[in-house]
Amino acid sequence: MTRAIERREVALVDLLDRVLAGGVVIAGEITLTIADIDLVRISLRALIASVRVENEEEERGGREGVRHDG
Amino acid sequence: MTDSLATWLYAVTAAPEGGAPPQGLTGVADEPVRLVEKAGLAAVVGSVPLEEFDEDALRGHLEDLEWLERTARAHHRVINGVARQGQVIPLRFATLYHDDDRVRAMLQERREDFAATLRRVAGRTEWGVKAYVDPRSFLPDPDEPAGGEDSPGTAYLLRRRAQRQDQETAHLRATERAEEIHASLAALAVATAAHPPQDTALAAYEGWMVLNNSYLVPDGLTEEFTALVTALGERYLAFTLEVSGPWPPYSFTAPPKREGQEGQEGQEGEARPKEAPS
């Protein structure tokens, strides 16, 4: 099950490497400012947020991290 | 009517002989995809509602993973669909014009660039290769444990320092091997582009990603290239190699950089399309 999810995620990041960071860059008339911004960075925030949610859910259902004092 | 619509660009191709639009393709807003022609070129476009795709809306949507995934896949699906019929130049996600006339003007203005790019990618295909390693495979052999003369604090710090040095050594060894793999693959490619390593959490892998490159491979060498990836995976057992493709030439449509002209923050600061010496 996890594997299937991982597969999908991997395909998505490969896609984002290309769709968001690649292709001919022509500043469109409507997206002048967005074109200047690193689209990948914008979207990665969303990606990271979603991965965190998944991890937290996983942790809640399972093992706890080892804790060191000091 | 056009007040509420904008023209989303997917790709630029040579104008098709019959002028036939791509059949049955729908785009980022489920809109039918059509062609806008000018100067011997055709832009593959769709009309999308401004309220969902103007700059402010886009900015918000880009933070929404579900929206982003759906839309990025739709953008790619159109480009891929068009690529099946001939050579395409993919456009960067979120390139929007007010209307078709502005697209025609753009095609006219940039026709030389587009024509040159089409020639450059003709008969060639992009392949992605990623390589991962388990850092432990590259760690130096553990030395004798330090003698018991140091105080526990000193011993701890020494151990920490040694660990850090070992990590650096391991990383260096892994990247050297990765460079060898890259060199072998690059020999079959006419151009290569490096993408930054993917975030471990996002790409769901463990260890280090030491290669995340794209290769522009002549179509006649496709089988040789994928066979080479397999062979390299067998030769470099500490590496896990992953190939993806064929991709439309996303990573190879930037105009080639002239020597000594760095300019435009080099695509993620990392991607460095370079032509192989012929």
Side-chain angles (χ1 to χ4, degrees), chain B residues 242-258:
Chain B
E242 238 176 58
V243 64
S244 66
W247 295 94
Y250 284 109
S251 308
F252 300 101
T253 43
K257 259 186 236 163
R258 266 168 273 153

Side-chain angles (χ1 to χ4, degrees), chain B residues 210-273:
Chain B
V210 286
L211 200 71
N212 183 21
N213 287 357
S214 280
Y215 298 85
L216 189 62
V217 179
D219 292 341
L221 295 180
T222 296
E223 279 181 30
E224 203 174 324
F225 185 82
T226 48
L228 178 60
V229 177
T230 310
L232 289 167
E234 284 161 7
R235 193 187 317 162
Y236 293 85
L237 287 173
F239 285 77
T240 304
L241 296 184
E242 238 176 58
V243 64
S244 66
W247 295 94
Y250 284 109
S251 308
F252 300 101
T253 43
K257 259 186 236 163
R258 266 168 273 153
E259 287 296 316
Q261 180 200 354
E262 280 308 310
Q264 37 147 321
E265 70 270 359
Q267 300 203 345
E268 312 320 311
E270 289 279 350
R272 43 181 164 93

Side-chain angles (χ1 to χ4, degrees), chain B residues 21 35-36 70 90 105 125 139 176 184 194 196 227 229 236 238 240:
Chain B
L35 295 182
V36 170
R70 180 161 32 88
T125 300
L139 286 175
E176 280 170 1
S184 298
V229 177
Y236 293 85
T240 304

Side-chain angles (χ1 to χ4, degrees), chain B residues 74-229:
Chain B
H75 184 72
H76 176 64
R77 193 178 58 230
V78 172
I79 294 171
N80 237 358
V82 178
R84 259 178 238 126
Q85 303 171 2
Q87 196 65 59
V88 301
I89 301 173
L91 280 160
R92 169 74 65 94
F93 188 81
T95 305
L96 283 137
Y97 279 78
H98 283 297
D99 56 41
D100 292 1
D101 283 343
R102 316 281 184 100
V103 175
R104 282 186 203 99
M106 184 276 293
L107 289 178
Q108 179 72 47
E109 194 181 313
R110 301 183 56 110
R111 65 187 191 284
E112 309 267 320
D113 278 352
F114 284 131
T117 305
L118 280 170
R119 282 195 298 272
R120 186 148 43 88
V121 295
R124 298 161 172 183
T125 300
E126 174 171 343
W127 292 87
V129 178
K130 295 192 285 185
Y132 318 86
V133 296
D134 179 346
R136 283 171 299 188
S137 313
F138 292 88
L139 286 175
D141 290 333
D143 292 318
E144 291 286 297
E149 293 163 29
D150 296 319
S151 72
T154 308
Y156 171 77
L157 288 173
L158 286 173
R159 210 159 55 234
R160 285 292 299 272
R161 189 165 64 184
Q163 277 170 357
R164 207 167 45 238
Q165 279 166 353
D166 286 354
Q167 290 281 312
E168 281 170 17
T169 307
H171 197 259
L172 190 65
R173 289 175 175 182
T175 28
E176 280 170 1
R177 293 292 91 74
E179 278 298 320
E180 292 172 16
I181 293 173
H182 168 69
S184 298
L185 294 169
L188 291 183
V190 291
T192 69
H195 302 288
Q198 292 164 347
D199 185 283
T200 45
L202 305 182
Y205 66 93
E206 288 178 4
W208 293 331
M209 183 181 287
V210 286
L211 200 71
N212 183 21
N213 287 357
S214 280
Y215 298 85
L216 189 62
V217 179
D219 292 341
L221 295 180
T222 296
E223 279 181 30
E224 203 174 324
F225 185 82
T226 48
L228 178 60
V229 177

